[in-house]
């Protein structure tokens, strides 16, 4: 299949074990583990030396983003009703929810880089060019090479075909765009970048939320890594946004 130019993506399995599961563990298959909304390995995801990458798989034990729904992946479904099929949407969790994220990113890359095949995708993955590194630096047995990043992947694919770079505009970027603090997380980081941008300052609009430049990680223009912290002292139980 690989010789035919097909990128094969498979779910790593939901047994929270490092025992290889197939077909994901086969050489040449992109094995996908799962993370929850806080970008941590889920309680069910397989792990180990055969894991290549992770993607959102959902964790329906809670509602960390406070939207009133369990934190699964909203998916299409067909349920048998009275001998027929009733179609709709339902929240699921599992590495089977994570694997399509990676396949979809590969499809986005192919759309702008048609010559990309399995070897090129593997190199992009192992180089860290299309992922957000999680866990230990580089590849590790919990997250593989990291969390698949659709934006980075398309930018990387465009660069491989020599796409023209438009003139630099004044553009501020913040990655990630959203932070989710679970019950055990008090501090997360954001990275602020930009073209033709200077004098960046960060502030918050909630008394329980604070943001500060990470020491030695922010340049004179205010670009770099910032620590975002929550202080739960005095807060009633519930979901908060800022």
């Amino acid at each position: 299949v690989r010789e035919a130019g097909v990128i094969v993506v498979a779910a790593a399995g939901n047994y929270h074990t490092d025992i290889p599961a197939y077909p994901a563990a086969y050489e040449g298959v992109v094995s996908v583990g799962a993370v929850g909304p806080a970008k941590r390995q889920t309680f069910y995801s397989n792990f180990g030396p055969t894991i290549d990458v992770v993607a959102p798989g959902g964790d329906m034990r809670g509602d960390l983003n406070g939207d009133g729904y369990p934190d699964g992946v909203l998916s299409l479904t067909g349920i048998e009703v009275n001998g027929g099929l009733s179609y709709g949407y339902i929240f699921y969790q599992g590495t089977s929810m994570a694997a399509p994220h990676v396949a979809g990113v590969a499809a986005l890359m192919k759309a702008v880089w048609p010559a990309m095949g399995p070897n090129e995708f593997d190199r992009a993955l192992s180089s860290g060019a299309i992922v957000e590194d999680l866990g230990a630096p580089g590849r590790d047995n919990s997250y593989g090479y990291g969390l698949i990043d659709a934006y980075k992947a398309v930018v990387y694919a465009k660069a491989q075909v020599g796409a023209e770079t438009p003139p630099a505009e004044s553009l501020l970027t913040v990655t990630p765009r959203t932070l989710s603090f679970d019950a055990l997380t008090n501090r997360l980081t954001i990275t602020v970048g930009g073209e033709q941008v200077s004098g960046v300052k960060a502030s918050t609009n909630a008394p329980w939320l604070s943001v500060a430049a990470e020491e030695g990680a922010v340049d004179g223009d205010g670009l770099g890594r910032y620590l975002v912290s929550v202080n739960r002292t005095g807060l009633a139980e519930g979901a908060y946004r800022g």
Side-chain angles (χ1 to χ4, degrees), residues 52-72:
D52 295 308
V53 65
V54 293
D59 184 345
M60 297 181 63
R61 299 176 301 176
D63 177 19
L64 295 182
N65 62 2
D67 64 357
Y69 297 99
D71 292 333

Side-chain angles (χ1 to χ4, degrees), residues 130-185:
I130 62 173
V131 295
E132 176 188 346
D133 194 14
L134 299 179
R139 197 209 161 275
D140 61 72
N141 286 343
S142 294
Y143 303 101
Y145 291 106
L147 175 63
I148 197 71
D149 187 315
Y151 177 77
K152 290 176 66 174
V154 172
V155 170
Y156 173 86
K158 284 184 176 181
Q160 307 314 302
V161 294
E164 294 184 3
T165 303
E169 300 178 357
S170 181
L171 176 66
L172 183 71
T173 61
V174 180
T175 307
R177 297 282 297 272
T178 302
L179 297 177
S180 293
F181 293 85
D182 61 27
L184 302 177
T185 303

Side-chain angles (χ1 to χ4, degrees), residues 11-26 31 41 44-51 141:
N14 303 321
Y15 304 103
H16 198 63
T17 178
D18 61 357
I19 298 174
Y22 297 91
Y26 282 127
S31 177
Q41 183 189 57
Y44 55 78
S45 179
N46 283 7
F47 52 92
T50 62
I51 302 298
N141 286 343

